[in-house]
Amino acid sequence: MSRGPLAVIWGAPPAVAARAGTLTHVPVELGNAGTAPWHTAVLLAYHWLDDRDNPIVWDGTRTPAPPLAPGERGTVDARVRAPIPPGRYRLAFDMVAENRAWFSELGSEPLTRD
C-alpha cells in the first residue's frame, strides 16, 4: 500500500446487487491511509471491469468522501450505476483526487467485488 499523501485502506468488500442500468447505493468502509487530510476534492468512484479486467466503465459516478484526517476511518454510501448490457462484471471501487489522480495510480489497491 502507498504511504504517500493520498492513500486509502478499505474495510470488508460490501455486498453488491444491481440490475443493468439501475442506480443503487452501496455502503463502503474506508480510511485515510495517506499523510494528507481529505477535503472536498477527494471522492469515491468506481470502475466496472470485464472478466479479463478490461474497463467497461472507467469513470463511475462520484460520491463525496467524508473529510478524514490521516488515520481516520468512515463509511460512504456510494452511488453506483450498473453497466448496460447485463452480464457478469467486477466492480472496483477507487478513490480519486479530482483533476489530480486516481489513488490506484498512486499505489493504493482498488476494492474489488465480482
Side-chain angles (χ1 to χ4, degrees):
M1 175 179 24
S2 171
R3 299 270 185 219
L6 298 173
V8 63
I9 187 167
W10 303 103
V16 178
R19 293 177 159 257
T22 63
L23 182 68
T24 189
H25 293 263
V26 179
V28 178
E29 298 175 10
L30 48 79
N32 183 346
T35 58
W38 292 356
H39 296 292
T40 57
V42 175
L43 306 164
L44 174 64
Y46 57 87
H47 319 296
W48 284 103
L49 310 172
D50 67 12
D51 60 353
R52 295 185 177 147
D53 286 339
N54 296 311
I56 301 302
V57 174
W58 182 256
D59 231 0
T61 304
R62 283 148 166 70
T63 304
L68 299 177
E72 289 184 330
R73 292 179 158 275
T75 301
V76 176
D77 191 27
R79 296 172 301 197
V80 176
R81 184 165 306 277
I84 299 172
R88 293 190 53 83
Y89 300 101
R90 179 182 309 260
L91 176 60
F93 287 103
D94 198 352
M95 301 300 293
V96 61
E98 201 65 78
N99 299 314
R100 291 182 64 198
W102 291 93
F103 283 29
S104 61
E105 295 173 330
L106 303 174
S108 289
E109 290 292 322
L111 174 66
T112 60
R113 184 75 184 191
D114 289 332

